[in-house]
Amino acid sequence: MSNRGEASSGWTPNQDPRPHKPWISWLIPTIAIVNIVFFAYSMYANDCPARHPPGDVCILFPYLGRYSFEPLYINPLLGPAPGTLDTLGALDYKKIVSGEPWRLISCIWLHGGVIHLLVNMLSLLFIGIRQEQEFGFWKVGTLYIISGIGGSLMSSLSIHNKISVGASGALFGLLGAMLSELMINWALYANKCAALLTLLVVIALNMAVGMVPHVDSSAHIGGFISGFFLGFILLIRPQFGWVNQNCFPPGYDMNHIKPKHKVYQYVLWILAFVMFVIWCHPSTIKEVLDPAARVMKLFK
């Protein structure tokens, strides 16, 4: 016997009368623009001709003037001098533990050169726009920032004697979130194995780039782990056939409504939440930022 809601509306619980519309991606392009502006400012602040008067050793000096690049023996990536990046907020372990933790965030907006900037921004647009269209700006923005900080923390563990800059940790966080999103929403995908294989190849290629000399692979790993755990938490989708209770007409038998998520989704969500809390626990951060704690640990 059909209930009153079905007979009067003509739709079944498996049909959502309000289909999902893709979000308009504005945050990711804005982040790309901000990174480009910051790079342009870093070149302005660097002022290569003033550092190497009369400036003839600066790359493209006749065309770019103050914005010309440092000689290749100083910066092979076509960018400013390391000292300029350090002044503007590069990741510097000694300065972080001396009272400048803001460098954990500022470093993800700086880039070592045009090549570094171009690779990262193309990757950001390729990966991030689709994610923002699917999940919205606040989820992707949260993933980007927290993954960037996670990459900075991991980089601080392994690099003590030189600076580090770049959005690679944040980008790998988006990749990690893509993997966890596939896992937690596994039942929703039609071509599961093809999607997983494609994603693993993309991740492997990006990880391989991290093995190149002078590239901070530790930031890649830290960002990937942060995004992987956070993706389970933020990117979980309702199971197929679930309909929001607000969509049902009055009088519909609510006992036939499917739960919003499957059991395995809840299990993965809880496990990821616990792991993410452990990963971001203050004691973990303290181990990175407090060298005294690390020294004391050696004598225990």
Side-chain angles (χ1 to χ4, degrees):
M1 178 178 178
S2 299
N3 64 41
R4 184 161 54 95
E6 288 181 336
S8 60
S9 63
W11 59 272
T12 65
N14 286 339
Q15 296 173 320
D16 191 340
R18 300 182 300 180
H20 169 71
K21 294 183 179 180
W23 295 72
I24 297 176
S25 178
W26 61 268
L27 179 63
I28 293 299
T30 300
I31 291 176
I33 292 172
V34 170
N35 276 276
I36 293 171
V37 171
F38 272 52
F39 178 74
Y41 178 75
S42 70
M43 295 307 305
Y44 174 84
N46 185 69
D47 193 3
C48 182
R51 296 171 60 89
H52 309 281
D56 55 343
V57 298
C58 300
I59 300 176
L60 298 180
F61 169 65
Y63 305 99
L64 300 178
R66 179 172 183 148
Y67 293 89
S68 55
F69 307 119
E70 289 287 328
L72 294 179
Y73 67 85
I74 294 179
N75 187 342
L77 297 177
L78 299 178
T84 300
L85 293 173
D86 194 16
T87 301
L88 294 177
L91 184 69
D92 187 326
Y93 175 80
K94 295 179 181 178
K95 292 184 178 180
I96 289 176
V97 299
S98 298
E100 298 182 8
W102 51 269
R103 290 177 177 269
L104 293 170
I105 299 178
S106 62
C107 68
I108 67 178
W109 303 97
L110 299 172
H111 286 82
V114 171
I115 299 175
H116 189 199
L117 177 70
L118 182 62
V119 171
N120 276 356
M121 292 307 99
L122 288 177
S123 300
L124 173 64
L125 295 174
F126 178 76
I127 298 170
I129 287 180
R130 177 186 171 277
Q131 282 188 320
E132 187 178 357
Q133 289 173 338
E134 288 289 325
F135 300 102
F137 70 92
W138 77 267
K139 290 184 178 180
V140 174
T142 301
L143 277 167
Y144 186 87
I145 296 299
I146 294 182
S147 297
I149 296 174
S152 297
L153 287 170
M154 181 66 78
S155 182
S156 297
L157 280 172
S158 59
I159 299 179
H160 293 173
N161 299 320
K162 59 181 180 179
I163 65 171
S164 177
V165 295
S168 299
L171 293 175
F172 271 82
L174 297 182
L175 280 175
M178 288 178 66
L179 179 59
S180 56
E181 188 272 327
L182 175 61
M183 293 173 62
I184 198 168
N185 301 316
W186 183 257
L188 300 178
Y189 281 84
N191 300 317
K192 298 178 175 60
C193 294
L196 179 60
L197 180 61
T198 301
L199 184 55
L200 290 178
V201 170
V202 172
I203 293 173
L205 290 175
N206 281 272
M207 286 291 186
V209 173
M211 303 303 172
V212 176
H214 308 299
V215 174
D216 185 5
S217 59
S218 57
H220 297 177
I221 297 172
F224 184 87
I225 294 175
S226 300
F228 180 72
F229 289 146
L230 199 56
F232 283 110
I233 300 170
L234 294 180
L235 306 185
I236 184 173
R237 297 173 184 263
Q239 67 167 312
F240 180 77
W242 174 80
V243 180
N244 192 313
Q245 293 186 13
N246 296 329
C247 298
F248 285 91
Y252 190 86
D253 187 0
M254 306 304 263
N255 293 325
H256 297 289
I257 299 178
K258 284 187 176 183
K260 187 173 184 179
H261 302 292
K262 291 181 176 292
V263 175
Y264 83 89
Q265 289 180 298
Y266 286 113
V267 172
L268 288 176
W269 192 97
I270 293 173
L271 290 175
F273 182 80
V274 172
M275 294 301 297
F276 183 75
V277 170
I278 294 174
W279 178 253
C280 298
H281 194 273
S283 62
T284 304
I285 299 176
K286 186 177 180 181
E287 283 292 311
V288 177
L289 300 182
D290 187 0
R294 306 178 83 196
V295 173
M296 292 179 62
K297 189 176 181 179
L298 296 175
F299 292 94
K300 288 184 177 180

